[in-house]
Amino acid sequence: MTAEPFARQLAALESRGRLRRLIPRSGRDFASNDYLGLSGDPIIAGAVADAIGRGVPVGSGGSRLLRGNAPEHEGLEAKAADFFRTQAALFVANGYVGNLALFATLPQRGDLIVADELIHASAHDGIRMSKAAAVFARHNDVQSFADLIAAFRAEGGKGRIWIAAETLYSMDGDIASLTDLARLAAKHHGMLILDEAHGTGVFGPGGRGLSAGLDGLHNVITLHTCGKAMGVEGALICGQRIHIDYLINRARAFIFSTAPSPLMAVAVSAALDRIEEAGDLRDRLTTLRQDAAESICGPLGLPAPRSQIVPVILGEDSRTMAVAADLQEAGFDVRGIRPPTVPPGTSRLRISLTLNVSRADIAALGRELQRIVK
């Protein structure tokens, strides 16, 4: 096969300021999702070192349904179910696999998935694989969800309703109306799937996420990714035992994947302990958010951030990437985000607040942003 079609498409991306490149880590961390700075945590590292000393293997050796099901996996799942106050949990390789498994497997033919239009790309991919019909509601607009459900019923749709949202949106930093979504799901005897990727560890009692207030509801399924505030890797699908058992039997993304390393199950277990006791870290992150409101958002005329994710929308792809490059040159690792990750015309700097930076770093970034952007 000739390489010409690929070269032509890559050239077109570059001309529009949308060509992706791998950039080495450098500068102060305003790009990662390591919100609590736990990726290098010595307590988590010590738990893994102890496990190696006990002979826990590095590799799993196969899928969970073959010989890859280690005691560490099962121990983690029991612990996670208790931690997130749900009947059962399933450990998978990452949040992408989790969303793929959930949406491609649980909604059935004749059902309707109503998802927020800005939900993660992995959820979109899972929805495309689903046998259920799917529609997308306006972002963070509960009435839009309700209208789409009403239209489905008016057209004779009789299947189950599946409402899907992120608790904290990864590119806008805003928070879903979880109580209203839960009420809407209950009204229609439907299910609510909540992606807690950016909420776990940072929000909720003991870092259990923004959905912690919905504990015990039989119609709520949560996905807690472990590679962000928890500082490790993998994802935990939490819900009723019947849903977890169904995923084990029907989710191709789970059945045909090599199991995560037993050592990573150990690391995630230790990370659960760390975030449960990390009130001081969450308080420090809140202080950084207040600093960002004063040093970054205020001078640029932006609203104060509601979370650790601060979007600075510049609009044009090429301008966004040029500003990001200038900031990187000045020693600040800030990345530009372009379509299709965000809607056309909303290219932005995604400033991520983590405990890997100081209050002085945020003030310095604010000064540099004002200089470059203005």
Side-chain angles (χ1 to χ4, degrees):
M1 178 184 290
T2 177
E4 184 180 344
F6 305 115
R8 190 164 54 245
Q9 291 180 53
L10 289 172
L13 286 173
E14 185 160 28
S15 71
R16 294 158 62 195
R18 293 188 183 180
L19 185 67
R20 293 183 171 101
R21 293 183 174 88
L22 296 175
I23 302 173
R25 296 183 184 188
S26 64
R28 285 165 275 190
D29 176 17
F30 286 97
S32 81
N33 297 318
D34 185 22
Y35 303 125
L36 299 180
L38 292 179
S39 64
D41 183 69
I43 296 174
I44 297 174
V48 173
D50 289 345
I52 293 173
R54 297 194 307 271
V56 175
V58 174
S60 62
S63 73
R64 291 284 299 280
L65 291 173
L66 294 176
R67 196 176 168 82
N69 187 41
E72 290 75 20
H73 297 128
E74 295 192 349
L76 168 62
E77 288 165 346
K79 182 174 184 174
D82 181 65
F83 182 84
F84 292 111
R85 301 184 185 178
T86 189
Q87 279 190 4
L90 185 65
F91 184 47
V92 296
N94 50 56
Y96 189 97
V97 169
N99 270 328
L100 212 63
L102 280 169
F103 290 101
T105 308
L106 292 181
Q108 304 291 296
R109 195 180 305 278
D111 291 352
L112 178 70
I113 303 169
V114 188
D116 190 288
E117 62 185 346
L118 296 188
I119 200 167
H120 276 127
S122 53
H124 280 269
D125 288 353
I127 289 168
R128 277 194 287 269
M129 297 174 66
S130 175
K131 295 180 177 67
V135 289
F136 292 90
R138 289 188 299 273
H139 176 54
N140 249 349
D141 184 340
V142 177
Q143 187 59 51
S144 178
F145 281 84
D147 291 344
L148 290 168
I149 295 169
F152 174 71
R153 294 300 190 210
E155 293 166 4
K158 299 185 183 302
R160 174 172 286 174
I161 303 298
W162 298 78
I163 294 174
E166 295 178 36
T167 60
L168 167 57
Y169 285 88
S170 58
M171 293 296 147
D172 290 78
D174 55 343
I175 294 170
S177 302
L178 298 183
T179 301
D180 291 336
L181 288 175
R183 188 178 295 119
L184 184 64
K187 177 181 177 181
H188 292 279
H189 306 287
M191 297 294 299
L192 179 60
I193 298 179
L194 296 175
D195 187 338
E196 278 274 25
H198 298 273
T200 304
V202 176
F203 290 95
R208 289 190 287 117
L210 288 156
S211 62
L214 306 178
D215 286 342
L217 294 182
H218 72 280
N219 66 331
V220 176
I221 298 171
T222 55
L223 176 65
H224 301 269
T225 58
C226 311
K228 297 179 174 64
M230 289 176 65
V232 282
E233 190 176 292
L236 293 157
I237 302 171
C238 298
Q240 296 290 295
R241 179 79 258 173
I242 189 69
H243 296 128
I244 299 303
D245 286 345
Y246 193 81
L247 289 170
I248 291 169
N249 280 273
R250 292 294 189 187
R252 294 172 66 84
F254 171 79
I255 294 168
F256 298 108
S257 287
T258 296
S261 165
L263 289 177
M264 191 49 61
V266 170
V268 174
S269 180
L272 288 175
D273 293 335
R274 290 291 285 123
I275 64 170
E276 185 172 27
E277 302 299 329
D280 59 327
L281 302 183
R282 286 186 280 276
D283 289 344
R284 285 172 53 196
L285 191 58
T286 298
T287 298
L288 295 186
R289 194 171 79 208
Q290 294 165 348
D291 290 339
E294 295 174 6
S295 300
I296 297 173
C297 298
L300 295 179
L302 303 174
R306 294 188 63 193
S307 70
Q308 71 277 14
I309 298 166
V310 184
V312 180
I313 298 175
L314 300 178
E316 185 188 14
D317 300 351
S318 57
R319 182 187 181 219
T320 298
M321 300 313 293
V323 171
D326 286 346
L327 290 171
Q328 291 159 17
E329 184 68 23
F332 303 96
D333 192 1
V334 175
R335 306 296 174 100
I337 308 295
R338 300 151 291 175
T341 304
V342 293
T346 69
S347 290
R348 68 198 62 190
L349 305 174
R350 179 188 184 270
I351 297 173
S352 178
L353 303 177
T354 78
L355 297 189
N356 299 321
V357 300
S358 67
R359 302 181 70 182
D361 290 332
I362 290 175
L365 174 60
R367 290 190 296 270
E368 195 67 17
L369 264 171
Q370 291 176 61
R371 183 186 71 79
I372 295 173
V373 172
K374 290 186 176 180

PDB file of all heavy atoms in Angstrom, residues 221-239:
ATOM      1  N   ILE A 221     -24.147   3.183  37.873  1.00  0.00           N
ATOM      2  CA  ILE A 221     -22.872   2.513  37.608  1.00  0.00           C
ATOM      3  C   ILE A 221     -21.822   3.603  37.483  1.00  0.00           C
ATOM      4  O   ILE A 221     -22.014   4.587  36.762  1.00  0.00           O
ATOM      5  CB  ILE A 221     -22.936   1.675  36.316  1.00  0.00           C
ATOM      6  CG1 ILE A 221     -23.987   0.572  36.445  1.00  0.00           C
ATOM      7  CG2 ILE A 221     -21.571   1.082  35.990  1.00  0.00           C
ATOM      8  CD1 ILE A 221     -24.259  -0.164  35.139  1.00  0.00           C
ATOM      9  N   THR A 222     -20.711   3.446  38.187  1.00  0.00           N
ATOM     10  CA  THR A 222     -19.655   4.448  38.131  1.00  0.00           C
ATOM     11  C   THR A 222     -18.370   3.833  37.584  1.00  0.00           C
ATOM     12  O   THR A 222     -18.094   2.646  37.783  1.00  0.00           O
ATOM     13  CB  THR A 222     -19.376   5.061  39.509  1.00  0.00           C
ATOM     14  OG1 THR A 222     -19.086   4.019  40.448  1.00  0.00           O
ATOM     15  CG2 THR A 222     -20.565   5.866  39.996  1.00  0.00           C
ATOM     16  N   LEU A 223     -17.605   4.656  36.889  1.00  0.00           N
ATOM     17  CA  LEU A 223     -16.300   4.263  36.373  1.00  0.00           C
ATOM     18  C   LEU A 223     -15.250   5.166  37.009  1.00  0.00           C
ATOM     19  O   LEU A 223     -15.269   6.386  36.804  1.00  0.00           O
ATOM     20  CB  LEU A 223     -16.264   4.390  34.854  1.00  0.00           C
ATOM     21  CG  LEU A 223     -14.920   4.086  34.184  1.00  0.00           C
ATOM     22  CD1 LEU A 223     -14.533   2.618  34.376  1.00  0.00           C
ATOM     23  CD2 LEU A 223     -14.960   4.426  32.698  1.00  0.00           C
ATOM     24  N   HIS A 224     -14.357   4.574  37.777  1.00  0.00           N
ATOM     25  CA  HIS A 224     -13.312   5.321  38.476  1.00  0.00           C
ATOM     26  C   HIS A 224     -11.966   4.960  37.852  1.00  0.00           C
ATOM     27  O   HIS A 224     -11.467   3.847  38.041  1.00  0.00           O
ATOM     28  CB  HIS A 224     -13.312   4.980  39.965  1.00  0.00           C
ATOM     29  CG  HIS A 224     -14.605   5.280  40.653  1.00  0.00           C
ATOM     30  ND1 HIS A 224     -14.859   6.487  41.262  1.00  0.00           N
ATOM     31  CD2 HIS A 224     -15.730   4.531  40.812  1.00  0.00           C
ATOM     32  CE1 HIS A 224     -16.076   6.470  41.777  1.00  0.00           C
ATOM     33  NE2 HIS A 224     -16.625   5.294  41.509  1.00  0.00           N
ATOM     34  N   THR A 225     -11.391   5.890  37.108  1.00  0.00           N
ATOM     35  CA  THR A 225     -10.083   5.598  36.529  1.00  0.00           C
ATOM     36  C   THR A 225      -8.999   5.841  37.574  1.00  0.00           C
ATOM     37  O   THR A 225      -9.107   6.721  38.424  1.00  0.00           O
ATOM     38  CB  THR A 225      -9.823   6.426  35.271  1.00  0.00           C
ATOM     39  OG1 THR A 225      -9.921   7.813  35.583  1.00  0.00           O
ATOM     40  CG2 THR A 225     -10.828   6.095  34.189  1.00  0.00           C
ATOM     41  N   CYS A 226      -7.952   5.039  37.480  1.00  0.00           N
ATOM     42  CA  CYS A 226      -6.911   5.036  38.513  1.00  0.00           C
ATOM     43  C   CYS A 226      -5.643   5.769  38.082  1.00  0.00           C
ATOM     44  O   CYS A 226      -4.712   5.904  38.873  1.00  0.00           O
ATOM     45  CB  CYS A 226      -6.559   3.592  38.878  1.00  0.00           C
ATOM     46  SG  CYS A 226      -7.988   2.551  39.222  1.00  0.00           S
ATOM     47  N   GLY A 227      -5.601   6.241  36.841  1.00  0.00           N
ATOM     48  CA  GLY A 227      -4.385   6.856  36.321  1.00  0.00           C
ATOM     49  C   GLY A 227      -4.356   8.355  36.423  1.00  0.00           C
ATOM     50  O   GLY A 227      -3.487   8.995  35.832  1.00  0.00           O
ATOM     51  N   LYS A 228      -5.270   8.945  37.163  1.00  0.00           N
ATOM     52  CA  LYS A 228      -5.298  10.399  37.294  1.00  0.00           C
ATOM     53  C   LYS A 228      -4.968  10.767  38.742  1.00  0.00           C
ATOM     54  O   LYS A 228      -3.832  10.619  39.154  1.00  0.00           O
ATOM     55  CB  LYS A 228      -6.636  10.928  36.790  1.00  0.00           C
ATOM     56  CG  LYS A 228      -6.814  10.629  35.284  1.00  0.00           C
ATOM     57  CD  LYS A 228      -8.121  11.098  34.743  1.00  0.00           C
ATOM     58  CE  LYS A 228      -8.198  10.927  33.236  1.00  0.00           C
ATOM     59  NZ  LYS A 228      -8.133   9.522  32.773  1.00  0.00           N
ATOM     60  N   ALA A 229      -5.947  11.205  39.530  1.00  0.00           N
ATOM     61  CA  ALA A 229      -5.621  11.626  40.893  1.00  0.00           C
ATOM     62  C   ALA A 229      -5.065  10.491  41.741  1.00  0.00           C
ATOM     63  O   ALA A 229      -4.321  10.725  42.695  1.00  0.00           O
ATOM     64  CB  ALA A 229      -6.847  12.223  41.574  1.00  0.00           C
ATOM     65  N   MET A 230      -5.406   9.235  41.394  1.00  0.00           N
ATOM     66  CA  MET A 230      -4.894   8.107  42.173  1.00  0.00           C
ATOM     67  C   MET A 230      -3.429   7.821  41.863  1.00  0.00           C
ATOM     68  O   MET A 230      -2.768   7.093  42.608  1.00  0.00           O
ATOM     69  CB  MET A 230      -5.754   6.868  41.938  1.00  0.00           C
ATOM     70  CG  MET A 230      -7.135   6.980  42.577  1.00  0.00           C
ATOM     71  SD  MET A 230      -8.214   5.576  42.220  1.00  0.00           S
ATOM     72  CE  MET A 230      -7.345   4.251  43.053  1.00  0.00           C
ATOM     73  N   GLY A 231      -2.932   8.327  40.751  1.00  0.00           N
ATOM     74  CA  GLY A 231      -1.501   8.259  40.473  1.00  0.00           C
ATOM     75  C   GLY A 231      -0.993   6.935  39.965  1.00  0.00           C
ATOM     76  O   GLY A 231       0.223   6.743  39.873  1.00  0.00           O
ATOM     77  N   VAL A 232      -1.894   6.004  39.618  1.00  0.00           N
ATOM     78  CA  VAL A 232      -1.408   4.678  39.212  1.00  0.00           C
ATOM     79  C   VAL A 232      -1.937   4.340  37.816  1.00  0.00           C
ATOM     80  O   VAL A 232      -1.656   5.059  36.860  1.00  0.00           O
ATOM     81  CB  VAL A 232      -1.746   3.617  40.271  1.00  0.00           C
ATOM     82  CG1 VAL A 232      -0.774   3.708  41.437  1.00  0.00           C
ATOM     83  CG2 VAL A 232      -3.174   3.753  40.803  1.00  0.00           C
ATOM     84  N   GLU A 233      -2.710   3.283  37.659  1.00  0.00           N
ATOM     85  CA  GLU A 233      -3.125   2.846  36.329  1.00  0.00           C
ATOM     86  C   GLU A 233      -4.317   1.902  36.461  1.00  0.00           C
ATOM     87  O   GLU A 233      -4.472   1.225  37.470  1.00  0.00           O
ATOM     88  CB  GLU A 233      -1.961   2.128  35.648  1.00  0.00           C
ATOM     89  CG  GLU A 233      -2.146   1.821  34.175  1.00  0.00           C
ATOM     90  CD  GLU A 233      -0.895   1.202  33.600  1.00  0.00           C
ATOM     91  OE1 GLU A 233       0.135   1.911  33.502  1.00  0.00           O
ATOM     92  OE2 GLU A 233      -0.926   0.007  33.279  1.00  0.00           O
ATOM     93  N   GLY A 234      -5.141   1.856  35.413  1.00  0.00           N
ATOM     94  CA  GLY A 234      -6.287   0.960  35.413  1.00  0.00           C
ATOM     95  C   GLY A 234      -7.577   1.708  35.650  1.00  0.00           C
ATOM     96  O   GLY A 234      -7.616   2.949  35.699  1.00  0.00           O
ATOM     97  N   ALA A 235      -8.671   0.970  35.778  1.00  0.00           N
ATOM     98  CA  ALA A 235      -9.976   1.565  36.050  1.00  0.00           C
ATOM     99  C   ALA A 235     -10.850   0.559  36.780  1.00  0.00           C
ATOM    100  O   ALA A 235     -10.687  -0.652  36.620  1.00  0.00           O
ATOM    101  CB  ALA A 235     -10.650   2.007  34.753  1.00  0.00           C
ATOM    102  N   LEU A 236     -11.787   1.082  37.550  1.00  0.00           N
ATOM    103  CA  LEU A 236     -12.701   0.260  38.342  1.00  0.00           C
ATOM    104  C   LEU A 236     -14.132   0.566  37.943  1.00  0.00           C
ATOM    105  O   LEU A 236     -14.587   1.714  38.060  1.00  0.00           O
ATOM    106  CB  LEU A 236     -12.498   0.526  39.828  1.00  0.00           C
ATOM    107  CG  LEU A 236     -11.153   0.062  40.395  1.00  0.00           C
ATOM    108  CD1 LEU A 236     -10.798   0.835  41.658  1.00  0.00           C
ATOM    109  CD2 LEU A 236     -11.177  -1.443  40.667  1.00  0.00           C
ATOM    110  N   ILE A 237     -14.832  -0.437  37.433  1.00  0.00           N
ATOM    111  CA  ILE A 237     -16.257  -0.318  37.145  1.00  0.00           C
ATOM    112  C   ILE A 237     -17.005  -0.774  38.394  1.00  0.00           C
ATOM    113  O   ILE A 237     -16.794  -1.892  38.874  1.00  0.00           O
ATOM    114  CB  ILE A 237     -16.659  -1.186  35.947  1.00  0.00           C
ATOM    115  CG1 ILE A 237     -15.860  -0.793  34.698  1.00  0.00           C
ATOM    116  CG2 ILE A 237     -18.156  -1.068  35.681  1.00  0.00           C
ATOM    117  CD1 ILE A 237     -16.050  -1.740  33.523  1.00  0.00           C
ATOM    118  N   CYS A 238     -17.867   0.085  38.918  1.00  0.00           N
ATOM    119  CA  CYS A 238     -18.549  -0.217  40.175  1.00  0.00           C
ATOM    120  C   CYS A 238     -20.062  -0.182  39.986  1.00  0.00           C
ATOM    121  O   CYS A 238     -20.599   0.761  39.400  1.00  0.00           O
ATOM    122  CB  CYS A 238     -18.154   0.802  41.250  1.00  0.00           C
ATOM    123  SG  CYS A 238     -16.393   0.788  41.661  1.00  0.00           S
ATOM    124  N   GLY A 239     -20.732  -1.215  40.480  1.00  0.00           N
ATOM    125  CA  GLY A 239     -22.180  -1.264  40.342  1.00  0.00           C
ATOM    126  C   GLY A 239     -22.770  -2.490  41.006  1.00  0.00           C
ATOM    127  O   GLY A 239     -22.139  -3.128  41.863  1.00  0.00           O
TER     128      GLY A 239
END
